[in-house]
Amino acid sequence: MRFRLTPRETSFYDMFAASADNIVTGSKLLMELLGAESSARAEIAERMRAAEHAGDDATHAIFHQLNSSFITPFDREDIYALASSLDDIMDFMEEAVDLVVLYQVEELPKGVEQQIEVLARAAELTAEAMPHLRTMDNLTEYWIEVNRLENQADQIHRKLLAQLFNGKYDAMEVLKLKQIVDVLEEAADAFEHVANTVETIAVKES
């Protein structure tokens, strides 16, 4: 890590960690949705909405701190990119849950559970990685594994699309389910964006 002569604002580290922990909460709610009866889904969606609002608050706090700090722990554009990508993950997960409820989906297609399992694992890895931003140590395995998970998510997504278009579902159901699996894929992409941003920060700080 390069030597600095100036002090750095360290509260960003805690805020990034809190944002990532909230994403873990969101991923657990996604997992809960899988096994829930249709009648219980609205309540899960409400809790997910609250978690998404908490994520927004965490993102706004980071931006406020960024705008009011003269010295930052790493480049301002990287802080903004990291906070925005973390916020995107939560937005996509909340959107997926909301769509399931709004579209009154009775049964999700086989394979969605694999999508959500990938997201849950990526959430855990991201939450584990954020505290390491203080030292930039032990992060390489994190971004390698998240990129691997995103590739896995791509494969699952393609199989789901093939399943949706195999003639089993009517056209309207295909439109509904495709939007849900597409949003879950966007969440996986957002995890990769976070990992790529962390890699960029680590390279600059090395």
Side-chain angles (χ1 to χ4, degrees):
M1 184 180 295
R2 67 187 183 211
F3 181 69
R4 292 178 183 265
L5 295 174
T6 55
R8 298 187 294 180
E9 172 56 62
T10 60
S11 61
F12 287 104
Y13 301 123
D14 294 333
M15 288 189 286
F16 282 130
S19 183
D21 287 342
N22 190 56
I23 289 170
V24 172
T25 298
S27 71
K28 290 179 179 178
L29 288 170
L30 270 177
M31 294 291 290
E32 188 176 340
L33 183 79
L34 280 176
E37 298 290 338
S38 298
S39 59
R41 288 175 175 173
E43 189 272 336
I44 295 171
E46 188 61 35
R47 282 188 281 141
M48 178 65 97
R49 198 169 297 115
E52 191 272 332
H53 288 161
D56 285 342
D57 290 343
T59 303
H60 294 153
I62 293 170
F63 290 162
H64 176 77
Q65 189 68 31
L66 183 62
N67 292 331
S68 60
S69 296
F70 181 70
I71 302 296
T72 57
F74 35 86
D75 289 348
R76 290 176 180 272
E77 62 267 26
D78 293 329
I79 292 175
Y80 182 87
L82 183 54
S84 296
S85 294
L86 288 167
D87 189 59
D88 286 344
I89 294 168
M90 201 66 212
D91 287 345
F92 289 133
M93 291 197 298
E94 188 274 332
E95 182 180 354
V97 172
D98 201 33
L99 289 173
V100 170
V101 174
L102 290 174
Y103 290 161
Q104 299 180 340
V105 174
E106 290 297 324
E107 184 177 353
L108 291 166
K110 184 178 180 181
V112 168
E113 74 280 0
Q114 293 176 309
Q115 273 192 307
I116 293 175
E117 286 169 3
V118 167
L119 295 179
R121 179 57 182 151
E124 291 173 358
L125 290 170
T126 301
E128 291 169 3
M130 289 301 106
H132 292 281
L133 289 172
R134 289 180 181 273
T135 60
M136 296 297 167
D137 293 332
N138 303 315
L139 284 168
T140 303
E141 290 184 6
Y142 153 68
W143 64 66
I144 289 174
E145 179 61 11
V146 169
N147 276 272
R148 187 195 69 78
L149 287 170
E150 197 280 329
N151 290 334
Q152 183 180 344
D154 284 343
Q155 294 173 358
I156 296 167
H157 182 244
R158 287 193 292 268
K159 289 179 180 177
L160 275 164
L161 292 182
Q163 180 182 341
L164 290 178
F165 290 109
N166 68 4
K168 176 183 175 182
Y169 301 94
D170 64 43
M172 188 60 68
E173 195 70 9
V174 168
L175 289 174
K176 293 177 181 179
L177 295 175
K178 182 180 182 299
Q179 190 172 358
I180 293 167
V181 301
D182 284 350
V183 169
L184 291 172
E185 171 63 13
E186 289 185 277
D189 290 341
F191 273 114
E192 185 180 40
H193 294 159
V194 169
N196 290 343
T197 302
V198 169
E199 182 179 9
T200 297
I201 294 167
V203 169
K204 288 181 180 180
E205 295 296 305
S206 62

